[in-house]
Amino acid sequence: MNPNYNSRGNCQMASNKQVIMDAFNSEIYIQDRMDVQHTPLYDTVTIAAGSALNNLTSQFFTNVGAQSNKTLGLTNMTQSQKLAAPEAFSIFAVRFRWAENILRADLDTILSRFALSLFLGQKRYQLAPLWHFNAGGGIFAVSSRSSESTYANGLPGRESMHKLAIPIVIENQMTFFAQLDGTEYTMTATASGGTGITMQLLLDGFYARGIQ
């Protein structure tokens, strides 16, 4: 009998290592060199009522760090468009959520005008209409109040999020970002009932970080 498989625990450990190696397509992220956890990368972009939504104002993973004044509820990125050395990330799912209080007229226009692009380096690795990237989370409810809205991107459950059949690997020090691509749109002003839009993009997958 193979000594590496002489117990259920050893068999499971070997299986987990193989899953990690397959996810990153490299042995550098296993065997005591990196700490690999299934935990996400995420960032939030807010476009105020009356402001312009375009490919520049909608960039994710760009306006981060101390100068952005974003809390951990909004982002866990510390550097613009890249991970700190020696970190890497294997993307299993792309989840896009907008704050559910968005004005319905704004949401309808944005969904018809914009697609989401995910870039690694200068290459676009994902491109699809916004609704395609189901969030698999957020508020899901019905309200009779005319002052409330709950327009969510799909059902709130992990099975409803947009999963990738082939993982996308963000290599160490590789630049990456995402943005909305489409014709510029000016959000409805507050005086006309606009609430702006708050969007959160979450990359679900394996996060490889240095052992401390």
Side-chain angles (χ1 to χ4, degrees), residues 7-212:
S7 72
R8 181 176 298 178
N10 285 343
C11 181
Q12 184 62 49
M13 183 179 298
S15 177
N16 288 344
K17 286 184 177 181
Q18 187 61 48
V19 168
I20 292 170
M21 190 169 71
D22 289 344
F24 287 96
N25 195 28
S26 172
E27 291 189 5
I28 194 171
Y29 300 109
I30 60 174
Q31 300 181 356
D32 301 324
R33 300 180 194 181
M34 297 290 283
D35 174 29
V36 179
Q37 299 295 329
H38 188 176
T39 189
L41 288 174
Y42 58 94
D43 189 33
T44 305
V45 170
T46 298
I47 308 296
S51 298
L53 173 62
N54 55 47
N55 64 331
L56 294 178
T57 62
S58 65
Q59 281 196 355
F60 293 92
F61 310 117
T62 299
N63 181 26
V64 299
Q67 77 283 355
S68 70
N69 294 317
K70 291 181 178 178
T71 66
L72 282 175
L74 301 177
T75 189
N76 64 345
M77 292 281 294
T78 59
Q79 298 184 29
S80 179
Q81 297 192 0
K82 68 178 180 179
L83 302 174
E87 297 176 356
F89 195 90
S90 183
I91 306 170
F92 291 174
V94 179
R95 310 172 68 175
F96 181 78
R97 178 188 173 219
W98 54 77
E100 292 83 0
N101 67 338
I102 184 172
L103 183 68
R104 177 61 184 272
D106 281 344
L107 179 60
D108 287 344
T109 301
I110 291 169
L111 289 177
S112 66
R113 285 196 188 187
F114 289 93
L116 177 69
S117 295
L118 173 64
F119 290 85
L120 273 63
Q122 297 303 309
K123 183 178 179 179
R124 183 185 281 112
Y125 275 76
Q126 290 283 293
L127 172 64
L130 295 179
W131 59 264
H132 177 75
F133 300 100
N134 299 110
I139 298 172
F140 189 82
V142 176
S143 174
S144 60
R145 289 175 148 182
S146 60
S147 61
E148 292 183 340
S149 63
T150 51
Y151 305 121
N153 187 17
L155 299 174
R158 287 188 61 82
E159 291 304 314
S160 300
M161 68 183 177
H162 177 69
K163 299 175 184 177
L164 301 179
I166 303 173
I168 299 171
V169 178
I170 302 173
E171 301 284 359
N172 177 241
Q173 295 296 285
M174 174 184 285
T175 60
F176 69 100
F177 65 96
Q179 65 187 30
L180 270 58
D181 282 321
T183 305
E184 181 172 292
Y185 175 65
T186 299
M187 305 296 297
T188 301
T190 303
S192 299
T195 58
I197 183 172
T198 296
M199 307 171 288
Q200 190 164 68
L201 184 63
L202 184 145
L203 306 178
D204 199 323
F206 283 180
Y207 199 172
R209 291 166 289 188
I211 295 175
Q212 298 179 348

